[in-house]
Amino acid sequence: DAGVTQSPTHLIKTRGQHVTLRCSPISGHKSVSWYQQVLGQGPQFIFQYYEKEERGRGNFPDRFSARQFPNYSSELNVNALLLGDSALYLCASRELGHLRAGDTQYFGPGTRLTVL
Amino acid sequence: RKEVEQDPGPFNVPEGATVAFNCTYSNSASQSFFWYRQDCRKEPKLLMSVYSSGNEDGRFTAQLNRASQYISLLIRDSKLSDSATYLCVVNEAGTASKLTFGTGTRLQVTL
């Protein structure tokens, strides 16, 4: 079975541009979450989508938006890019919307975004 | 105060050594607890869940102290392949899929 897939793997943008990152969850998983990991820090929660609805949002500005499609894949959009948006963007999938004790959340390999 | 705090290390230990990592969390409503492992420039991977009764998986032992809001990970007989960053992760009750990560503790196992 394929794991969580993300595209592209690497991306270079300039300040002010817009970016769209894509994620396909593990087959059968309906929940997708997005995280931002800046160098030297742990991942920070951005969004969770379950059954195409936003179920959670982290402390990120409105420049960040996301959506989930009927096939449960997801897109993360970031507008008006800033230098500080340079990071590894991770997508994680899980079968259910809620987290039970011992539940496993599977991460994709991430998209490394560099903003110049 | 950070929600999840860890010593960033690095911890440099010889092969075969026992090493322990600690982590504290600030939200007493936290419900689920995990240790994730992250290799350089790779995604985090679940190492083990942490239960109140403590749990063991081979050379790895995790403990949770809810009263002190403290989580630990013990690695026995360290291998070179254990070199990685270990992330302490908590999930608050009612926050669906939001995992809160610590900054990670870097472990380097040497010959």
Side-chain angles (χ1 to χ4, degrees):
Chain A
D1 277 347
V4 179
T5 58
Q6 292 187 244
S7 64
T9 53
H10 295 84
L11 203 51
I12 298 175
K13 292 284 190 178
T14 55
R15 279 178 296 176
Q17 284 190 308
H18 162 271
V19 69
T20 298
L21 310 181
R22 295 178 176 82
C23 169
S24 291
I26 291 170
S27 178
H29 285 196
K30 299 179 180 178
S31 172
V32 170
S33 298
W34 287 95
Y35 292 81
Q36 180 197 65
Q37 187 174 24
V38 173
L39 196 62
Q41 301 293 319
Q44 260 198 298
F45 175 76
I46 309 175
F47 287 111
Q48 187 219 356
Y49 277 77
Y50 177 67
E51 290 283 16
K52 302 181 287 295
E53 290 186 6
E54 182 183 303
R55 296 299 183 94
R57 173 184 281 257
N59 189 23
F60 279 80
D62 292 344
R63 300 184 295 108
F64 288 77
S65 64
R67 55 179 175 167
Q68 187 176 33
F69 299 100
N71 67 353
Y72 303 109
S73 67
S74 177
E75 280 183 357
L76 175 70
N77 295 284
V78 187
N79 293 323
L81 285 167
L82 304 173
L83 295 179
D85 295 331
S86 295
L88 179 66
Y89 288 84
L90 294 159
C91 172
S93 85
R94 185 169 71 239
E95 185 178 353
L96 301 175
H98 58 278
L99 192 68
R100 295 174 301 192
D103 244 357
T104 299
Q105 188 164 147
Y106 296 91
F107 283 84
T111 293
R112 193 164 296 278
L113 172 65
T114 302
V115 182
L116 302 175
Chain B
R1 183 185 170 187
K2 288 183 181 177
E3 292 179 78
V4 179
E5 294 210 53
Q6 294 181 253
D7 180 345
F11 283 57
N12 294 300
V13 303
E15 231 183 345
T18 295
V19 61
F21 303 138
N22 303 317
C23 163
T24 57
Y25 60 95
S26 60
N27 191 336
S28 58
S30 297
Q31 181 182 42
S32 301
F33 309 89
F34 309 90
W35 284 100
Y36 274 73
R37 170 194 169 126
Q38 186 171 29
D39 293 293
C40 189
R41 303 185 74 82
K42 298 285 189 181
E43 73 274 22
K45 292 187 178 176
L46 179 68
L47 179 65
M48 57 199 304
S49 303
V50 188
Y51 303 110
S52 295
S53 55
N55 47 300
E56 190 174 307
D57 183 2
R59 298 181 293 109
F60 299 84
T61 301
Q63 296 276 355
L64 167 65
N65 184 322
R66 286 185 184 269
S68 303
Q69 295 178 202
Y70 172 94
I71 306 162
S72 67
L73 177 68
L74 184 78
I75 305 176
R76 290 182 299 279
D77 188 23
S78 299
K79 311 290 184 192
L80 293 174
S81 57
D82 293 334
S83 299
T85 295
Y86 291 84
L87 296 158
C88 177
V89 186
V90 306
N91 169 249
E92 298 167 17
T95 57
S97 191
K98 178 187 175 185
L99 297 180
T100 302
F101 287 77
T103 55
T105 298
R106 195 155 67 86
L107 171 66
Q108 183 67 51
V109 181
T110 56
L111 287 171

